[in-house]
């Protein structure tokens, strides 16, 4: 059966029932589609980036992303999982279709159907999970090429939790050994900035980032931020990223609470929505000590803390919110806030 007919029958079937459907039998990916089986021809997508901190899905952030799809076709990308975003987004948004593409290995990432499906999307959303899968399975494959081609032509993109972790120029890839538990804690990172759990991509300045989003150049992100006490590890990520930059203040970090999102326009202007806070970090000097076998020492990191309704300009690194300074000495964080609060 020709490829185009296999795809048409697969897409049509998803209107009747929800089940995994691939364009060619035996391929490793799974494709679930709800809505119109034919892609929109008159969609008018607009660039923008929905940075979601994880936890409970935030309707306001998804409505913003859907609106930027311009009435077209939104594609959810995963390495594991099901199509549980499809009914949620189909009910919430006015779209031609919602589809989920599960790409669980590098063989699937090399499939022409997978690449074409990503390139044909009007909006993209990278779900949560384990970002190590995204780096291990998708980096340096046609999936990465297709994602960056979409970004370059102004297709809006969102990500939550692990999906957000890979959106910055620098990413905590979570590829390291996980002998005790799956969580890299701030305590561990601060004590061992070069420990096997602290994995950053790209490792060298000559390597390209996984995703080339101009608005997120120089930025590394972290999620589930205050609930999981991740300020310390974001400081370590910044110190590590600084090592590949000429000027120390070029390394910038964004930490986002659960049920919170930072919605970024093409001009770099962002607004915060949801029920928590977003934290924008920028060093003023290079980390004094970031080396193997020794706890981090890193002074003079400026933090802008903004809650829902706040605005921030990424290109100017300016915003209206609470501003304070964090320093780390021998792995212990100190804050200029009252009571020494770091959040």
């Amino acid at each position: 059966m020709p490829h185009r007919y296999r795809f048409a029958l697969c897409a049509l079937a998803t209107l009747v029932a929800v089940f995994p459907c691939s364009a060619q039998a035996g391929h490793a990916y799974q494709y679930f589609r709800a809505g119109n089986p034919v892609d929109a021809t008159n969609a008018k997508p607009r660039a923008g980036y929905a940075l979601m901190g994880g936890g409970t899905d935030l309707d306001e952030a998804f409505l913003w992303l859907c609106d930027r799809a311009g009435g077209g076709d939104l594609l959810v990308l995963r390495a594991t999982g099901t199509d549980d975003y499809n009914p949620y987004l189909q009910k919430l948004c006015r779209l031609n279709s919602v589809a989920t593409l599960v790409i669980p290995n590098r063989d699937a990432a090399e499939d022409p159907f997978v690449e074409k499906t990503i390139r044909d999307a009007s909006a993209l959303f990278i779900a949560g999970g384990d970002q190590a899968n995204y780096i291990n399975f998708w980096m340096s494959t046609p999936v990465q090429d297709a994602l960056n081609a979409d970004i370059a032509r102004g297709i809006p993109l969102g990500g939550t939790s692990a999906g957000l972790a890979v959106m910055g120029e620098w990413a905590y890839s979570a590829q390291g050994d996980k002998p005790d538990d799956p969580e890299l804690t701030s305590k561990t990172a601060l004590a061992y900035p070069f420990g096997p759990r602290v994995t950053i991509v790209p490792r060298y300045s000559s390597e390209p980032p996984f995703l080339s989003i101009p608005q997120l150049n120089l930025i590394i992100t972290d999620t589930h931020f205050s609930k999981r006490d991740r300020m310390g590890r974001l400081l370590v990520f910044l110190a590590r990223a600084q090592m590949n930059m000429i000027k120390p203040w070029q390394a910038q970090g964004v930490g986002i609470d659960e049920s919170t999102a930072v919605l970024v326009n093409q001009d770099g202007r962002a607004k915060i929505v949801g029920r928590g806070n977003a934290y924008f970090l920028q060093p003023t000097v290079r980390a004094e000590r970031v080396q193997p076998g020794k706890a981090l020492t890193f002074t003079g990191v400026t933090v802008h803390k903004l809650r829902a309704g706040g605005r921030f300009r990424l290109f100017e690194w300016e915003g209206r919110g609470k501003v304070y300074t964090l320093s780390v000495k021998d792995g212990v964080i100190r804050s200029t806030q009252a009571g020494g609060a770091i959040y």
Side-chain angles (χ1 to χ4, degrees), residues 43 45-46 48 62 64-77 95 97-99 117-126 147 150 153-158:
R46 294 176 292 131
F62 278 105
W64 184 89
L65 183 64
C66 290
D67 178 66
R68 289 184 171 258
D73 303 282
L74 189 150
L75 180 65
V76 178
L77 297 174
L95 294 163
S97 73
V98 180
T117 301
I118 295 171
R119 288 181 181 267
D120 288 346
S122 306
L124 297 161
F125 172 71
I126 306 177
L147 285 168
D150 282 356
R153 67 187 180 93
I155 297 301
L157 170 66

Side-chain angles (χ1 to χ4, degrees), residues 162-212:
L164 170 57
V166 297
M167 287 178 66
E169 179 174 359
W170 300 86
Y172 165 55
S173 63
Q175 293 169 287
D177 294 336
K178 304 172 184 179
D180 301 316
D181 61 71
E183 175 97 359
L184 172 63
T185 65
S186 288
K187 181 179 179 181
T188 298
L190 288 165
Y192 306 102
F194 279 85
R197 305 287 299 281
V198 186
T199 53
I200 310 292
V201 294
R203 292 178 297 166
Y204 310 109
S205 57
S206 60
E207 295 178 353
F210 174 61
L211 297 180
S212 296

Side-chain angles (χ1 to χ4, degrees), residues 48-64:
Y49 306 95
L51 317 182
M52 305 183 199
T56 304
D57 290 320
L58 190 61
D59 290 358
E60 186 175 357
F62 278 105
L63 285 167
W64 184 89

